[in-house]
Amino acid sequence: MGRSGLKVMVGLVGLVKPLAHIMILCIFFGVIGFFSAIAITVLGGELLLVVLGNSQFTFSNICMMLLICAVLRGAFRYVEQTCGHYIAFKLLARIRDQIFGVLRKLAPAKLETRNRGDLIALITSDIELLEVFYAHTIAPVCIAILVSLGMVLGIGQFHIFLGVYALIAYAIIGYALPVGLWQKDNQDGLGVRTKLGNLNGFFLESLRGLHETLQFGAVANRQSEIAEKTEEINALQEKIKVQEGLNFGLSGFFVSALSLGMVALHLYLQSDFATTLRTTLMLTASFGPVIALSNLSTTLTSTIASGERVLNLLEETPETEDVLEGKTPIFTGAKAENIDFSYGVEAILSDVSMELEKGQLISLTGASGSGKSTLLKLFMRFWSADGGTVSISNENINEIPTKHLRTMEGYMTQETDFFQGTIRENILLAKQDATETEMIAAAKKAAIHDFIATLPDGYDTKTSELGESLSGGERQRIGLARAFLQDGDFILLDEPTANLDSLNEGMILKSLYVAKKEKTILLVSHKTSTIGVADKNYHLQSGRMS
């Protein structure tokens, strides 16, 4: 969804509410600190007036005030920066936690087609860029406004025209200049973030498919595509850097020009030397906060783009909302009645019905793309059917609390995902408080225990993030061990024996046949050996039961 930079900033500011009291302290100390810094410059000019005999202060008094202002400036600047960065890092941690919570709710329906590299870029670099906004934008904007208003009032005490001129000068450097420049390159920042996400996804894809790339001699093509994508990003970044240089140059020019303009205005007003010196120094020394805003314009280009991506994800709604309250039935069976389902405009299932009784092993067959895996996901309530009813224990699954539904159901997909750690940790993912005996029993049912026992470290053997140190069949059996360990009453298995030899397949089918006595097992498979042990067989053809 597209939104203006202002709306993005308002959305990001809304996340500060829990730390608003610290933000107020940050702004307070920042304002006092800048006034102390301005006072140092103005007091320096006052020393010159003392030498010329045109000041009511003594040399020692001014030196004492300079020392006090210098100490205050350093102390208040330290407190301001500490508060700002405390807020930034606290909020980044909260945002990461919120992002993970959103991803959990969006999975798997909304994430199956998302670019994983783009998600990684969002979770890491995009969130990191928000540090600029929270530590170096919100407080500086407020500080610049408050300091500028205070200086307008102070300078206006000498003459109302001087106050009006100061207000115009602050508005030019702190608002007109950054807004004008930002409107030119705000889309470039979004382009950089989007292209970086795509490049991350391409790299991740290249790493996963490295063996195939080498095997089929496609290295040069992948390198060429990486170089092309990198050049596109470099071109946008170069454009942003040029704009940044222009911004710095224009800021310096306007500071000098407006300071000279103040002197010219004094000549027009025929002010005395002391008034001219004091107000000119007050104006020049107080440009610091608004210059900081001006210099933020190009930095904010990428930050606002990242903020929009983060907010878009936080505001995305899941395909199915979690059910928090409702009946918690004991599992007695499952049904699909007259189910219709489509992915967008593509119809997948049409008027599909099946009944799964407790104590049965049911096979589901059909050609690739006929909707078998989709039907399993509807039983898991990853998606909601467009028409018809999916029920468990004669209760509509849309009315069963999600947490209870997950305890009743065990699900194994065609691809077993691994986490970096040990085999033990990967199996215990299904039931983290399981005993050693329970884990080993599940591994035996999945015909993987004997293999694990041959490894030097057994269940404590380290695995890579993708499980590439294991064969396809070994990964699949560990995934099946998870399903056995979870011990749900309704087990849904998607091609659990596809990568197994006949011996291991026979052991697993025997385990399933024994387990069915107290459970219901729905087994998707193409193998006739699997169909042979089933109590009932359903066949899907072109999205319909046949």
Side-chain angles (χ1 to χ4, degrees):
M1 67 183 72
R3 67 181 95 196
S4 67
L6 180 60
K7 288 184 178 179
V8 173
M9 286 189 281
V10 170
L12 292 175
V13 169
L15 300 176
V16 181
K17 288 181 181 178
L19 299 171
H21 57 294
I22 300 178
M23 180 62 74
I24 292 172
L25 282 177
C26 179
I27 294 168
F28 172 77
F29 284 112
V31 169
I32 302 301
F34 266 111
F35 278 133
S36 299
I38 294 167
I40 291 172
T41 302
V42 175
L43 287 172
E46 199 66 30
L47 277 177
L48 176 61
L49 294 177
V50 170
V51 172
L52 297 176
N54 195 15
S55 175
Q56 62 187 26
F57 298 103
T58 64
F59 185 85
S60 59
N61 287 339
I62 293 176
C63 288
M64 181 60 68
M65 286 188 287
L66 278 170
L67 179 60
I68 293 172
C69 288
V71 172
L72 290 178
R73 171 55 174 162
F76 290 148
R77 178 66 171 172
Y78 174 79
V79 175
E80 175 210 341
Q81 290 293 301
T82 300
C83 290
H85 285 87
Y86 175 84
I87 291 169
F89 296 131
K90 276 286 186 181
L91 283 175
L92 296 191
R94 289 173 63 91
I95 291 172
R96 288 192 185 96
D97 185 62
Q98 290 177 15
I99 288 288
F100 185 80
V102 168
L103 291 177
R104 186 197 65 78
K105 291 181 180 180
L106 294 178
K110 284 287 188 76
L111 300 185
E112 285 196 344
T113 57
R114 289 289 291 262
N115 185 321
R116 292 191 179 186
D118 186 53
L119 281 175
I120 291 172
L122 191 152
I123 295 169
T124 54
S125 58
D126 279 345
I127 291 179
E128 282 298 320
L129 271 176
L130 296 185
E131 187 267 341
V132 174
F133 182 78
Y134 289 118
H136 306 291
T137 303
I138 300 178
V141 167
C142 296
I143 291 168
I145 292 173
L146 294 175
V147 170
S148 297
L149 289 176
M151 294 309 297
V152 166
L153 293 175
I155 294 173
Q157 295 297 314
F158 292 89
H159 195 289
I160 189 170
F161 283 1
L162 298 177
V164 172
Y165 180 85
L167 180 62
I168 294 172
Y170 296 137
I172 290 173
I173 295 178
Y175 178 77
L177 183 59
V179 169
L181 292 173
W182 186 43
Q183 287 177 345
K184 292 183 179 180
D185 62 358
N186 61 344
Q187 290 303 313
D188 294 333
L190 181 58
V192 168
R193 304 314 309 165
T194 302
K195 289 181 182 296
L196 275 173
N198 292 335
L199 181 60
N200 282 347
F202 191 81
F203 260 113
L204 188 61
E205 182 184 82
S206 298
L207 288 173
R208 289 179 181 273
L210 190 58
H211 296 303
E212 288 77 6
T213 302
L214 292 171
Q215 178 181 348
F216 297 111
V219 175
N221 289 337
R222 302 296 290 189
Q223 287 179 329
S224 176
E225 289 187 65
I226 289 173
E228 183 179 337
K229 293 178 183 293
T230 303
E231 283 301 318
E232 291 176 357
I233 294 171
N234 288 342
L236 283 176
Q237 288 179 327
E238 183 177 352
K239 185 177 178 182
I240 291 174
K241 289 299 180 184
V242 169
Q243 197 69 32
E244 186 176 340
L246 176 63
N247 184 27
F248 277 110
L250 288 175
S251 297
F253 169 78
F254 277 107
V255 167
S256 300
L258 291 168
S259 298
L260 290 174
M262 175 64 88
V263 176
L265 181 58
H266 276 292
L267 291 175
Y268 172 77
L269 295 174
Q270 298 181 345
S271 303
D272 58 63
F273 176 73
T275 301
T276 302
L277 180 63
R278 288 178 179 130
T279 54
T280 302
L281 288 176
M282 289 173 70
L283 179 69
T284 304
S286 60
F287 277 134
V290 289
I291 289 175
L293 294 189
S294 181
N295 292 339
L296 274 174
S297 61
T298 49
T299 307
L300 276 179
T301 299
S302 295
T303 304
I304 295 302
S306 295
E308 181 173 8
R309 283 158 52 84
V310 169
L311 289 175
N312 286 345
L313 183 60
L314 288 174
E315 294 169 3
E316 191 165 344
T317 55
E319 189 70 30
T320 57
E321 294 282 355
D322 284 351
V323 178
L324 302 179
E325 297 180 352
K327 296 181 180 179
T328 56
I330 297 173
F331 182 81
T332 58
K335 286 182 184 179
E337 300 175 275
N338 310 115
I339 295 298
D340 297 323
F341 182 78
S342 301
Y343 290 121
V345 297
E346 182 184 2
I348 304 298
L349 299 174
S350 178
D351 196 29
V352 170
S353 296
M354 65 188 308
E355 184 171 356
L356 312 171
E357 297 177 9
K358 189 167 183 178
Q360 287 189 335
L361 193 160
I362 301 99
S363 68
L364 179 61
T365 61
S368 296
S370 60
K372 303 185 301 298
S373 298
T374 299
L375 187 55
L376 264 61
K377 291 171 183 176
L378 291 177
F379 274 114
M380 291 295 297
R381 213 176 76 85
F382 291 158
W383 279 273
S384 293
D386 299 329
T389 304
V390 178
S391 59
I392 289 180
S393 304
N394 295 317
E395 298 289 344
N396 190 319
I397 64 168
N398 293 324
E399 298 174 1
I400 298 175
T402 302
K403 186 175 181 180
H404 182 66
L405 190 66
R406 296 290 178 263
T407 61
M408 286 195 294
E409 297 178 324
Y411 178 51
M412 176 186 171
T413 64
Q414 294 181 23
E415 297 291 334
T416 299
D417 287 317
F418 271 75
F419 297 88
Q420 195 162 13
T422 64
I423 292 177
R424 178 191 306 276
E425 290 167 342
N426 274 279
I427 294 177
L428 289 177
L429 183 67
K431 186 180 178 182
Q432 297 183 21
D433 60 348
T435 64
E436 185 82 2
T437 302
E438 289 175 326
M439 180 187 68
I440 292 175
K444 286 181 177 179
K445 290 179 182 178
I448 191 66
H449 172 73
D450 290 343
F451 163 74
I452 296 174
T454 64
L455 299 173
D457 296 321
Y459 283 89
D460 294 316
T461 300
K462 295 286 187 181
T463 63
S464 64
E465 179 183 352
L466 303 179
E468 291 181 345
S469 54
L470 303 170
S471 70
E474 290 158 357
R475 291 198 299 271
Q476 195 167 34
R477 281 181 283 163
I478 288 176
L480 190 57
R482 288 175 179 167
F484 280 126
L485 183 61
Q486 184 184 356
D487 200 30
D489 293 319
F490 184 23
I491 301 177
L492 303 98
L493 306 174
D494 197 350
E495 298 284 3
T497 62
N499 298 318
L500 304 183
D501 55 49
S502 57
L503 178 61
N504 284 314
E505 180 189 15
M507 294 173 65
I508 289 172
L509 290 178
K510 181 180 178 181
S511 297
L512 292 174
Y513 191 80
V514 172
K516 75 171 186 177
K517 296 177 182 178
E518 299 177 352
K519 305 179 184 300
T520 296
I521 302 174
L522 179 57
L523 183 64
V524 170
S525 180
H526 288 97
K527 294 187 175 183
T528 55
S529 55
T530 304
I531 299 171
V533 300
D535 299 299
K536 188 188 297 184
N537 178 53
Y538 288 95
H539 183 75
L540 269 174
Q541 184 173 353
S542 301
R544 292 179 177 272
M545 285 295 185
S546 62

